[in-house]
Amino acid sequence: MELRIALAGNPNCGKTTLFNALTGSNQYVGNWPGVTVEKKEGKLKKHADITITDLPGIYSLSPYTLEEVVARNYLIGERPDAILNIVDGTNLERNLYLTTQLTELGIPVVVAVNMMDVVQKNGDKINIAELSRELGCKVVEISALKGTGILEAAEAAIDVAKNGKTVPMHTFSGAVEHAIAHIEEAAVHEMPEEQQRWYAIKIFERDDKVLEQMNIAADVLAHIEADIKAAEDECDDDAESIITNERYIYIASLMKGCYKKARTGQLSTSDKIDRIVTNRILALPIFAVIMWAVYTISIGTIGDWTVGFMNDTLFGEWIVPGVTSGLKAIGCADWLTSLVADGIVGGVGAVLGFVPQMLILFLLLSILEDCGYMSRVAFIMDRIFRKFGLSGKSFIPMLVASGCGVPGVMASRTIEQDRDRKMTIMTTCFIPCGAKMPIVGLISGAVFGGSAWVATAAYFIGVAAVIVSGIILKKTKAFAGDPAPFVMELPAYHAPVASNVLRATWERGWSFIKRAGTVIVAASIIIWVLNSLTFEGGFHYIGDGDEMSILNVIGEGLAVLFVPLGFGEWQAAVATILGLVAKEEVVGVFGSLSSMANADLAMELVEEGNSAALTVIGQEFFGGSGLAAFSFMIFNLLCAPCFAAMGAIKREMNNAKWTCAAIGYMCAFAYAVSLVVYQLGTLFTGGGFSIWTAAAIVVLIGMLYLLFRRNKYNDNVLAVHASAAQN
């Protein structure tokens, strides 16, 4: 018999960790809300007929955010055979709020108290038997991280799915309970018995979606409204707040008999650490130092050595020459040899050369995430973001986007307000993702000697772009208004778990490698074909000739757009445009073109002891100009993301105009910033004044005006206008 078991719980309670343990999946695990924004399914190990569904983390079944809508719609519409409710044992009282709602759905529930190892370590005690009796359902102890008790939890869920029944708790009292009972009798008696109480409570809360679904007769609705109004008068509050308060009163009484805390009022180790790392003065400098250290290790020291070995030795001296010699030895035509060795191997090799560097970066970021520090960063940034009209919730998608922009954009679903969600989608991809980091590594190695400051600057330029954009956009009518409040449970610090860290590192790294083996291969072939054929003197293969290739002609036409930004070479223009397909292809284009045209210079640089593969690019495509290369990096970091991320933006916006606006804004913002950086940088370094310098000054003045102008759309002005309109 096919059974479906849903995993439900608060954000960061361990659902995805449990899901991975039960199904053998490798879903991403993070220490903040929004890691899971869609339901994910897998088969229980050794049980092909048991489907486990991992739902997004939610605090309640009141659908304020998109992920709450996903979870509620699944539970109400799909009605799984059982719910395995994961609760955080270290925050039992807060987690049980959702439990009280789940037990009212009429679906058998098993409560799995997670993190029991931490509870026991703290000396706290949870009376599982008493908790089970009070909740009216099976309760088990587990530690998803250590894998203890998880099979027992799964078996308990299977058992209740086949045989069990959860009796809803009578959480409410007095006029509230009377009103709910009356609604059950008058309005929802035709619903299945096990669902009646949940629908009655939702009608009491005046849940619009349920009221629309029920289509209650006007006279019945009038009697129900009278009961609700009586309860509101007695409790002196609105219906939804009454239900919330009644639930917490019930939970507080339940906790007295089930939970004993060992150390009341004492600071935990995590609290003591947070006094330093979340300090108002020290928090940002500590964050900056940590990120500098991460990029120094991954890009500057170990990472720089790995890139040099991969590009110069592995591909430059061994693989490419070996492939070339092998193909020539078996009599392959020159064009085929060039296609395979220079086009495919050279292009893909240039991207794969950054894999070790990326893996080191992903490893370090995964360690910071798993130990609990990166969730503190969201808390730290909330303090800054709110000053500029942004919500701290906007930073969570940006943390996710440091691996890939696609899940980063999707994580915007955690934001309740539509305007804030749209603004977050428009700015999330400013943060350098894994696909953009090879561009940073390339510029750092090609022009700046592998300096880690370039990579660190790239990250904080992305953060600054988000803040500046937030200020500018918040002063427009479409985005005006106070940001959504940000409430987030900070997990306790703990030693990174090797399995979690390695899983997260591999997931990000494998995505990078897969794109190199698919999209980059196809793009490298296209680059080689266009760069090896010409229309001069008739359509033919260039070979050793010096005719202008088709790619050269296209690139020259596109390069005009980027001359004011400092990178007017046709190769850089082609790389930038193809970067819209996949950001890694920026490096792939340079790899293909440099391996096809700069062998002599590469040998010369090797003899001088330089990193040939990167220095060739710096010399040939940027003329050795650090300012032009830096401008190129900024533009490619801030402009529209790859096609996959654009697709995610389109899905989340669900509107063609907003999608075009988002992509157009990113491109315009990137162009403006790069123009100002290059032209003013040229002016200050003695490059002289030109018409483009004047244009850059005008653009800078315009951006400063948009930043510092008065916000005529703030709440007070809107309220005044609304009042005037009513009068």
Side-chain angles (χ1 to χ4, degrees):
M1 181 176 66
E2 289 276 347
L3 293 176
R4 296 175 301 155
I5 298 172
L7 303 184
N10 288 183
N12 201 37
C13 69
K15 291 188 318 307
T16 303
T17 302
L18 180 61
F19 177 79
N20 288 337
L22 292 176
T23 64
S25 299
N26 290 307
Q27 297 296 339
Y28 180 60
V29 178
N31 270 323
W32 50 74
V35 173
T36 304
V37 290
E38 294 181 320
K39 64 183 180 70
K40 299 171 182 175
E41 293 187 343
K43 295 293 184 181
L44 180 63
K45 290 179 182 177
K46 300 180 181 179
H47 293 79
D49 58 341
I50 308 293
T51 299
I52 306 292
T53 303
D54 180 22
L55 298 176
I58 55 175
Y59 289 106
S60 76
L61 291 178
S62 300
Y64 295 114
T65 61
L66 291 180
E67 78 272 19
E68 287 178 339
V69 172
V70 170
R72 171 166 148 163
N73 286 350
Y74 177 79
L75 292 172
I76 301 301
E78 301 293 329
R79 295 197 65 81
D81 297 293
I83 298 173
L84 186 53
N85 174 212
I86 299 90
V87 301
D88 179 356
T90 64
N91 289 289
L92 192 60
E93 186 170 2
R94 173 178 56 76
N95 279 240
L96 287 177
Y97 184 88
L98 177 63
T99 305
T100 62
Q101 293 182 312
L102 294 176
T103 56
E104 292 161 357
L105 289 171
I107 301 171
V109 176
V110 171
V111 175
V113 183
N114 193 21
M115 305 184 195
M116 284 301 298
D117 53 326
V118 180
V119 172
Q120 293 163 2
K121 183 179 178 180
N122 292 339
D124 301 338
K125 294 182 179 179
I126 299 176
N127 188 331
I128 297 297
E130 179 64 16
L131 184 62
S132 176
R133 188 187 68 80
E134 288 282 355
L135 295 177
C137 61
K138 176 78 172 177
V139 179
V140 295
E141 299 180 4
I142 69 167
S143 172
L145 200 61
K146 295 190 174 181
T148 56
I150 60 173
L151 292 180
E152 291 83 350
E155 289 169 0
I158 293 170
D159 181 59
V160 298
K162 293 178 178 178
N163 312 307
K165 182 179 180 182
T166 296
V167 179
M169 299 167 287
H170 284 278
T171 315
F172 315 110
S173 58
V176 179
E177 184 61 42
H178 171 77
I180 292 172
H182 182 245
I183 295 170
E184 283 188 80
E185 179 181 342
V188 297
H189 57 275
E190 293 182 356
M191 298 291 294
E193 183 181 353
E194 65 272 13
Q195 300 179 35
Q196 289 179 9
R197 185 167 181 80
W198 186 83
Y199 276 97
I201 293 169
K202 285 298 165 187
I203 291 173
F204 181 90
E205 292 178 321
R206 299 190 180 96
D207 188 304
D208 292 337
K209 291 187 177 181
V210 170
L211 286 170
E212 289 175 10
Q213 178 185 348
M214 297 301 296
N215 193 24
I216 304 170
D219 57 333
V220 176
L221 192 59
H223 283 91
I224 290 172
E225 183 60 34
D227 284 332
I228 297 174
K229 191 69 173 63
E232 288 178 327
D233 291 341
E234 181 177 305
C235 299
D236 193 24
D237 210 342
D238 65 274
E240 190 171 3
S241 298
I242 291 170
I243 292 293
T244 301
N245 186 56
E246 290 275 320
R247 289 189 193 279
Y248 276 118
I249 290 173
Y250 171 80
I251 292 168
S253 66
L254 180 153
M255 291 288 290
K256 289 180 181 179
C258 300
Y259 186 78
K260 301 295 180 185
K261 194 171 182 65
R263 294 174 291 183
T264 304
Q266 296 184 25
L267 290 177
S268 66
T269 303
S270 287
D271 293 333
K272 292 175 182 177
I273 296 173
D274 280 338
R275 282 192 162 187
I276 299 173
V277 300
T278 63
N279 180 276
R280 286 183 174 273
I281 298 173
L282 298 176
L284 274 179
I286 290 173
F287 175 50
V289 169
I290 289 175
M291 294 310 294
W292 174 81
V294 166
Y295 286 115
T296 297
I297 295 170
S298 60
I299 305 293
T301 54
I302 299 175
D304 188 50
W305 175 84
T306 62
V307 170
F309 170 77
M310 292 286 288
N311 283 319
D312 294 342
T313 306
L314 183 61
F315 283 96
E317 296 180 13
W318 298 348
I319 296 179
V320 173
V323 171
T324 302
S325 300
L327 293 174
K328 286 183 177 179
I330 61 175
C332 282
D334 290 343
W335 69 268
L336 182 58
T337 300
S338 177
L339 169 61
V340 175
D342 297 328
I344 299 176
V345 177
V348 176
V351 177
L352 292 180
F354 288 91
V355 167
Q357 193 179 64
M358 294 302 99
L359 290 177
I360 295 168
L361 174 63
F362 294 152
L363 177 68
L364 295 175
L365 291 177
S366 297
I367 290 172
L368 291 176
E369 291 168 4
D370 199 60
C371 73
Y373 176 72
M374 290 305 272
S375 58
R376 268 74 182 176
V377 175
F379 170 76
I380 293 166
M381 296 306 294
D382 175 59
R383 192 180 303 151
I384 299 170
F385 275 28
R386 291 192 70 81
K387 290 182 180 179
F388 301 115
L390 291 163
S391 168
K393 281 191 173 183
S394 298
F395 195 70
I396 292 173
M398 295 166 199
L399 286 173
V400 178
S402 63
C404 177
V406 174
V409 170
M410 293 173 64
S412 64
R413 296 179 184 180
T414 59
I415 301 171
E416 297 95 333
Q417 294 178 353
D418 184 65
R419 62 173 183 265
D420 288 347
R421 184 165 58 251
K422 283 187 169 72
M423 187 166 66
T424 301
I425 292 169
M426 292 176 69
T427 56
T428 288
C429 291
F430 285 149
I431 300 297
C433 65
K436 293 178 182 177
M437 289 314 297
I439 303 174
V440 177
L442 180 143
I443 298 301
S444 174
V447 183
F448 297 99
S451 172
W453 286 105
V454 176
T456 308
Y459 183 83
F460 285 103
I461 285 172
V463 175
V466 172
I467 293 174
V468 169
S469 295
I471 298 172
I472 292 173
L473 294 174
K474 270 292 181 181
K475 293 179 180 180
T476 62
K477 187 175 182 179
F479 299 103
D482 290 333
F486 178 45
V487 179
M488 178 182 176
E489 189 72 31
L490 295 179
Y493 287 103
H494 61 265
V497 179
S499 59
N500 286 348
V501 170
L502 294 176
R503 180 185 292 116
T505 302
W506 175 247
E507 180 179 308
R508 289 169 168 174
W510 178 239
S511 174
F512 183 84
I513 294 168
K514 278 194 298 184
R515 284 158 68 94
T518 53
V519 176
I520 309 305
V521 168
S524 296
I525 293 173
I526 293 171
I527 289 296
W528 181 91
V529 170
L530 294 177
N531 199 47
S532 300
L533 299 175
T534 183
F535 288 114
E536 290 186 7
F539 182 71
H540 66 280
Y541 173 60
I542 295 176
D544 296 328
D546 58 357
E547 298 99 330
M548 183 175 281
S549 69
I550 297 172
L551 186 66
N552 195 331
V553 174
I554 296 172
E556 292 286 356
L558 295 171
V560 177
L561 297 172
F562 304 109
V563 168
L565 310 187
F567 49 97
E569 296 292 334
W570 67 268
Q571 298 93 333
V574 169
T576 299
I577 298 302
L578 282 177
L580 297 176
V581 177
K583 288 299 178 183
E584 302 96 328
E585 184 53 25
V586 172
V587 178
V589 169
F590 285 145
S592 292
L593 297 179
S594 63
S595 66
M596 293 169 69
N598 297 285
D600 293 337
L601 177 58
M603 290 303 298
E604 180 183 328
L605 291 166
V606 168
E607 291 171 2
E608 295 175 2
N610 295 317
S611 176
L614 296 183
T615 312
V616 164
I617 293 171
Q619 293 291 335
E620 288 294 299
F621 304 149
F622 299 106
S625 169
L627 193 56
F630 196 73
S631 173
F632 174 85
M633 182 187 76
I634 290 176
F635 183 81
N636 280 277
L637 291 181
L638 301 182
C639 76
C642 64
F643 281 176
M646 288 188 208
I649 290 172
K650 182 178 182 295
R651 288 192 300 273
E652 297 305 312
M653 288 292 195
N654 196 28
N655 182 289
K657 289 183 179 179
W658 273 107
T659 302
C660 292
I663 295 170
Y665 175 78
M666 285 184 271
C667 290
F669 186 84
Y671 199 94
V673 173
S674 295
L675 178 69
V676 169
V677 168
Y678 180 73
Q679 292 298 333
L680 296 189
T682 301
L683 178 65
F684 294 143
T685 54
F689 192 92
S690 70
I691 187 172
W692 291 116
T693 310
I697 292 173
V698 171
V699 169
L700 179 60
I701 292 172
M703 292 181 71
L704 291 175
Y705 167 74
L706 292 173
L707 274 172
F708 295 108
R709 65 175 176 154
R710 185 179 65 85
N711 185 2
K712 65 179 181 179
Y713 295 109
N714 61 36
D715 287 346
N716 292 333
V717 174
L718 288 175
V720 170
H721 287 174
S723 177
Q726 289 174 359
N727 294 333

